[in-house]
Amino acid sequence: MQPLAFVDLETTGATAAVDRITEIGIVTVDADGRVDEWQQLVNPGQPISPFIEQLTGISNAMVATAPPFAAVAGETLARLQGRLFVAHNARFDHGFLKHEFKRAGVRFRGPALCTVKLSRALYPEHQRHSLDALIERHRLQAAARHRALADAQLVHQFWQIAHRERTPEQIATAIAAQNPPCVLPPQIDPALAEELPETPGVFELRDAAGQALWISRAGNIARQLSQFFAAPEKTSRDRQVRERVQHIVWHETAGEIGARLLEARLRALSPPSLQRPRRNHSGPAPRWPFAGPAALRELSTLHLVDQWCYLGTAETPDALPALLTAPRPGFDADIYAILSKHAGQLTSLEARS
């Protein structure tokens, strides 16, 4: 049997690039079946909101004397290395750990398996596949929901039940479907495939001189890049992109809005040579409904806007002053088209203060 690590994290929020881990729970299963469990509170270095405290039961007082992630990175990595990483919504937990390891100067790689997707594949007759749904359907024994080790134990229980109720062939097929090989051009280091994040953002394909050939937003950077290169060549432009690309650069965002805004900004700053030109941007800006700058919240980030001009995205409140004092960009019709769809969500900074 392949060694396994069933993982669950508690965090200060939902955005790996901004929020931090507050607790780690890992259940390891060795090839001989030996099981070991580990749980560790982590000082996130940022406040835990009342909502998150109520959800997880982890308070600021509980983590005040806990070690930061950098201090437990070695122990965490040792428990994960050489194992299949298994989690419920693995994209979340795996992504958070990749960011935390990166901040600690540690390279973290390895395949991940999502039990949400596994449940959908093995039990397609059911509509719901959340952890609460699995608890109810499979009568899993929960010691304490939304604590890291307890939730990791639940994932382990589901894994055991699935292996009793489904054939090895069914399980092997479901697992293989989750981890198709990432397709990249032959001149790109194949090891890059393990670095690509499964998060929203923007990717840039650049030539040998570093000039942009193609810039595109993605709901899942790793998956969309692989699909991009795996698709059949329909035009000479498709062939040119594959032949000329030498560098792949990506930028993670909190969600789709941030990806759209960043894509528009990057295409304006460095027009990609193999994509269609952007629209005509002449003309005055439409009337701005606020007396000053406004913010558009997306998860834990704030997109700062003034006069329909995108000033940037603040991942923390401390980043707002620098964005407000930076040189202002001109009006951009593509940016306006994105922001106008969310006009009702804009909030004056004066009202927020």
Side-chain angles (χ1 to χ4, degrees):
M1 181 181 72
Q2 180 179 9
L4 306 167
F6 298 90
V7 182
D8 187 79
L9 307 175
E10 302 303 330
T11 65
T12 60
T15 308
V18 180
D19 298 304
R20 298 292 187 270
I21 293 172
T22 58
E23 190 174 47
I24 305 167
I26 302 176
V27 177
T28 55
V29 182
D30 294 340
D32 61 5
R34 189 178 74 87
V35 177
D36 187 48
E37 297 181 345
W38 180 66
Q39 180 167 274
Q40 175 66 59
L41 283 169
V42 178
N43 188 327
Q46 59 181 233
I48 300 173
S49 71
F51 171 77
I52 295 295
E53 182 175 337
Q54 183 178 15
L55 177 68
T56 65
I58 300 173
S59 66
N60 288 290
M62 290 171 63
V63 299
T65 58
F69 182 82
V72 299
E75 173 76 6
T76 306
L77 186 64
R79 291 177 178 274
L80 298 177
Q81 278 186 322
R83 301 178 184 274
L84 176 62
F85 184 107
V86 186
H88 209 65
N89 191 10
R91 173 176 163 182
F92 175 89
D93 300 276
H94 199 261
F96 255 93
L97 279 169
K98 284 181 74 172
H99 275 83
E100 291 283 21
F101 277 121
K102 185 176 181 179
R103 294 184 193 104
V106 177
R107 194 175 193 183
F108 175 57
R109 290 174 143 186
L113 180 72
C114 177
T115 47
V116 176
K117 296 177 181 178
L118 186 65
S119 179
R120 287 174 182 157
L122 297 178
Y123 301 91
E125 67 274 20
H126 296 290
Q127 296 296 317
R128 297 169 55 241
H129 299 275
S130 67
L131 195 52
D132 285 329
L134 267 56
I135 291 171
E136 179 181 351
R137 184 157 61 241
H138 300 287
R139 298 181 181 179
L140 308 181
Q141 300 301 308
R145 281 289 281 118
H146 298 297
R147 289 300 299 267
L149 182 57
D151 284 359
Q153 291 168 337
L154 289 169
V155 177
H156 181 213
Q157 289 176 42
F158 167 71
W159 178 269
Q160 293 171 300
I161 290 171
H163 278 70
R164 289 198 297 267
E165 296 182 346
R166 296 294 185 264
T167 67
E169 292 75 18
Q170 288 174 313
I171 291 173
T173 299
I175 292 175
Q178 281 198 41
N179 292 290
C182 182
V183 178
L184 295 173
Q187 68 270 28
I188 300 296
D189 183 357
L192 185 71
E194 293 194 38
E195 303 291 338
L196 296 171
E198 295 186 342
T199 55
V202 177
F203 63 82
E204 300 180 60
L205 308 180
R206 299 178 181 175
D207 63 16
Q211 299 300 307
L213 302 170
W214 196 274
I215 297 174
S216 180
R217 67 181 181 275
N220 180 318
I221 294 172
R223 182 173 64 232
Q224 193 155 325
L225 258 173
S226 182
Q227 292 173 345
F228 182 91
F229 289 118
E233 293 183 3
K234 295 182 179 180
T235 66
S236 61
R237 183 182 62 181
D238 295 339
R239 177 180 52 77
Q240 288 186 65
V241 172
R242 288 163 170 76
E243 290 178 352
R244 293 174 57 187
V245 61
Q246 294 293 327
H247 307 285
I248 299 176
V249 178
W250 61 87
H251 315 269
E252 296 179 63
T253 62
E256 181 185 359
I257 299 172
R260 287 179 174 273
L261 290 170
L262 183 58
E263 177 192 39
R265 168 173 281 186
L266 291 174
R267 290 193 63 183
L269 292 173
S270 181
S273 60
L274 295 179
Q275 277 176 291
R276 294 176 182 174
R278 300 166 74 237
R279 72 181 73 184
N280 186 345
H281 297 84
S282 61
R287 188 184 69 86
W288 178 241
F290 301 98
L296 173 61
R297 176 172 289 280
E298 185 174 27
L299 296 178
S300 57
T301 62
L302 290 175
H303 305 303
L304 198 59
V305 187
D306 195 12
Q307 303 297 324
W308 296 114
C309 297
Y310 170 52
L311 307 184
T313 297
E315 296 184 345
T316 65
D318 294 342
L320 286 173
L323 293 176
L324 290 169
T325 56
R328 298 295 176 95
F331 175 71
D332 185 304
D334 284 342
I335 295 288
Y336 171 72
I338 298 165
L339 293 172
S340 61
K341 295 178 181 178
H342 304 278
Q345 300 169 252
L346 287 166
T347 305
S348 169
L349 281 190
E350 292 182 359
R352 298 183 62 88
S353 60

